[in-house]
Amino acid sequence: MGCVISNLSAKFAFFPPSPPTYQIKKQEDGKLTAVYTSSSTVLTSANGGGGGGGGGGGGGYSLDVLVLPTRRGNKIVAFYLKNPYARLTLLYSHGNAADLGQLVDLFVQLKANLRVNLMGYDYSGYGASTGKPSELNTYADIEAVYECLQTEYGVSQEDLILYGQSVGSGPTLHLASKLPRLRGVVLHSAILSGLRVVCHVNCRFCFDIYKNVNKIQKVKCSTLVIHGMEDDVVSWLHGNRLWKKAKDPYEPLWIKEGNHCNLELYPDYIRHLYKFIYDMETMTTKTRLTKIKQKLRLPKKSNTGKSTAGCSCCCIKVGQPSCRPKCPKPQCPKSKCPKPQCPKCLCSPKCPDCLQCGCCCLNWKFSCCWLPKLKCPSVKLLKCPSCLRCGCGCGCGCGCFTCLCKCMRCSCW
């Protein structure tokens, strides 16, 4: 049943270009290169440059074509563009209706304008990648690309920014939720979940895919959300809610006239994205730790030099009245704890010997002054010692007939 639901969801979520816009060919030296399907020419940038298999073209950029195996048995294609001046690497997960052949020009522009290394990949069933597109396959795809970045290019998660566009936000948040030291995340026209794109629901369904609304709460790094306010495919409300649920939200970019597929054409897009990349570059480890402490609201270290470790004073607050004075922990040990001073609330004894801190309000010793003297409004207190021997309970004879009779015979009235 799960496979049927997964296949049905995939038909509504993925629209790979058919036929693919590019093909992979092996050169005589064994290196791989990508060529356009329509013209059989090597993939080129907008300014006429191109490259493949680690070689640079006339445009002055390097494009590595890779074929990576995944844990689900598929082989996916990835493009790696290197910028010699870059400090960070961008891992780009594209939307559901494009492949690498359509995105290579955008990759070149982002690499140059943002001064980053960039890795883009095709999901299983897209472009020259094998297999069929599905939610689980995309998770395996991005994990394979991340492993390649680690092993082949030496990219650590501290120097990595994940970028997810539309459906690509699913695998992006899947990986981001597993990397606690990730540098940053960019969500471009992202979705709350697959089902929420079709209909506005707040319930959780087992057959829903890409539950980003839950996963974003596990992402610990800075998260930039970019969304068009005129998006008629994925409503702006998706991006707004993701931004509000992020643990470390960066200043979002809402493009008023932007729709689902044209945000890259607005100057604010590249300007705001560059600002985010720059802030991530200049963020030091000390700054990141400070931000984490502020979010966790960790208590500051005391300057008194007195340790409160092992002091259980005043830590039990259940049942304590509001009028009870608080015991300052730095002034503990227990012998110095202030004694309760509200007899009405605590029925505390007046004798200092009967009140011992065990700590503060617990373990009082019951002795001479614990039971207060009771007075009967209608009968005077007895003065005869013999009358006090009865078991009337109060000692005044007001409730015991035997005691009352004895009191009538004695002269203690």
Side-chain angles (χ1 to χ4, degrees):
M1 184 64 181
C3 294
V4 175
I5 294 176
S6 178
N7 292 335
L8 184 61
S9 301
K11 290 182 179 180
F12 290 99
F14 303 104
F15 302 95
S18 182
T21 62
Y22 71 96
Q23 295 177 349
I24 299 299
K25 292 186 178 181
K26 183 177 291 188
Q27 298 177 347
E28 296 180 356
D29 56 1
K31 294 182 179 180
L32 299 178
T33 184
V35 298
Y36 286 109
T37 303
S38 57
S39 60
S40 297
T41 57
V42 177
L43 270 65
T44 58
S45 65
N47 58 3
Y61 74 91
S62 173
L63 173 64
D64 292 352
V65 179
L66 308 167
V67 177
L68 308 174
T70 72
R71 57 180 172 82
R72 293 178 64 85
N74 299 322
K75 292 184 178 181
I76 61 172
V77 177
F79 290 172
Y80 179 79
L81 288 80
K82 182 175 179 59
N83 188 322
Y85 304 102
R87 295 177 56 187
L88 302 178
T89 300
L90 197 70
L91 175 51
Y92 194 105
S93 301
H94 61 71
N96 67 341
D99 62 15
L100 293 178
Q102 298 170 320
L103 295 171
V104 64
D105 291 346
L106 174 64
F107 289 171
V108 172
Q109 296 300 324
L110 292 178
K111 183 210 69 168
N113 293 329
L114 302 180
R115 200 178 60 182
V116 294
N117 301 318
L118 192 146
M119 173 76 89
Y121 67 101
D122 264 339
Y123 311 124
S124 298
Y126 277 73
S129 300
T130 64
K132 295 182 179 180
S134 69
E135 179 187 10
L136 296 180
N137 279 342
T138 58
Y139 294 160
D141 297 340
I142 194 171
E143 290 172 1
V145 175
Y146 172 64
E147 183 179 356
C148 174
L149 284 173
Q150 284 186 304
T151 57
E152 298 295 330
Y153 298 98
V155 178
S156 63
Q157 57 179 292
E158 291 87 353
D159 298 326
L160 182 64
I161 295 177
L162 300 184
Y163 189 112
Q165 179 184 12
S166 189
V167 168
S169 60
T172 293
L173 288 177
H174 166 77
L175 182 60
S177 64
K178 296 184 175 183
L179 302 180
R181 301 187 306 277
L182 192 65
R183 183 57 64 102
V185 170
V186 180
L187 300 177
H188 176 161
S189 301
I191 63 175
L192 285 170
S193 72
L195 184 60
R196 286 174 172 84
V197 175
V198 181
C199 55
H200 300 286
V201 293
N202 292 323
C203 303
R204 300 178 182 179
F205 297 92
C206 62
F207 54 86
D208 198 3
I209 63 173
Y210 295 131
K211 300 175 184 178
N212 296 337
V213 66
N214 300 330
K215 292 183 179 180
I216 194 171
Q217 301 178 46
K218 301 178 182 179
V219 178
K220 300 179 181 179
C221 60
S222 295
T223 304
L224 167 63
V225 179
I226 303 174
H227 215 106
M229 300 188 72
E230 298 296 330
D231 194 330
D232 55 354
V233 178
V234 179
S235 172
W236 167 81
L237 297 176
H238 287 245
N240 186 46
R241 188 173 176 186
L242 287 172
W243 176 68
K244 289 181 178 179
K245 281 185 169 291
K247 282 190 173 183
D248 186 7
Y250 191 83
E251 180 185 357
L253 174 60
W254 311 129
I255 300 180
K256 293 183 178 180
E257 299 179 358
N259 57 40
H260 193 68
C261 300
N262 68 347
L263 301 186
E264 299 88 349
L265 302 179
Y266 290 86
D268 287 343
Y269 166 81
I270 196 67
R271 186 182 301 117
H272 197 82
L273 193 55
Y274 175 82
K275 181 178 181 295
F276 175 75
I277 299 295
Y278 178 79
D279 289 342
M280 295 302 101
E281 285 181 343
T282 56
M283 182 184 296
T284 62
T285 303
K286 183 177 180 180
T287 304
R288 297 182 71 184
L289 291 176
T290 302
K291 292 178 65 177
I292 293 173
K293 288 182 179 179
Q294 290 176 351
K295 290 172 187 176
L296 295 178
R297 298 180 181 178
L298 296 179
K300 295 182 179 179
K301 294 183 179 179
S302 175
N303 295 328
T304 59
K306 296 181 180 180
S307 174
T308 60
C311 175
S312 59
C313 174
C314 302
C315 59
I316 303 177
K317 299 182 179 180
V318 178
Q320 294 183 5
S322 58
C323 62
R324 180 183 178 276
K326 296 182 179 180
C327 173
K329 287 187 177 182
Q331 297 180 3
C332 221
K334 300 175 182 178
S335 59
K336 296 182 180 181
C337 293
K339 299 177 182 179
Q341 299 177 359
C342 182
K344 295 182 180 180
C345 298
L346 294 176
C347 297
S348 61
K350 300 178 181 179
C351 175
D353 297 333
C354 298
L355 179 59
Q356 295 184 2
C357 177
C359 166
C360 295
C361 66
L362 303 178
N363 301 328
W364 289 335
K365 291 184 177 180
F366 304 126
S367 60
C368 62
C369 66
W370 175 253
L371 293 176
K373 296 180 180 180
L374 301 178
K375 295 182 179 180
C376 179
S378 58
V379 182
K380 295 181 180 180
L381 286 175
L382 299 178
K383 299 180 181 179
C384 178
S386 62
C387 296
L388 297 176
R389 298 174 183 175
C390 68
C392 66
C394 67
C396 67
C398 60
C400 176
F401 180 77
T402 303
C403 182
L404 184 59
C405 293
K406 290 180 181 180
C407 293
M408 293 176 65
R409 292 195 294 267
C410 69
S411 60
C412 64
W413 284 90

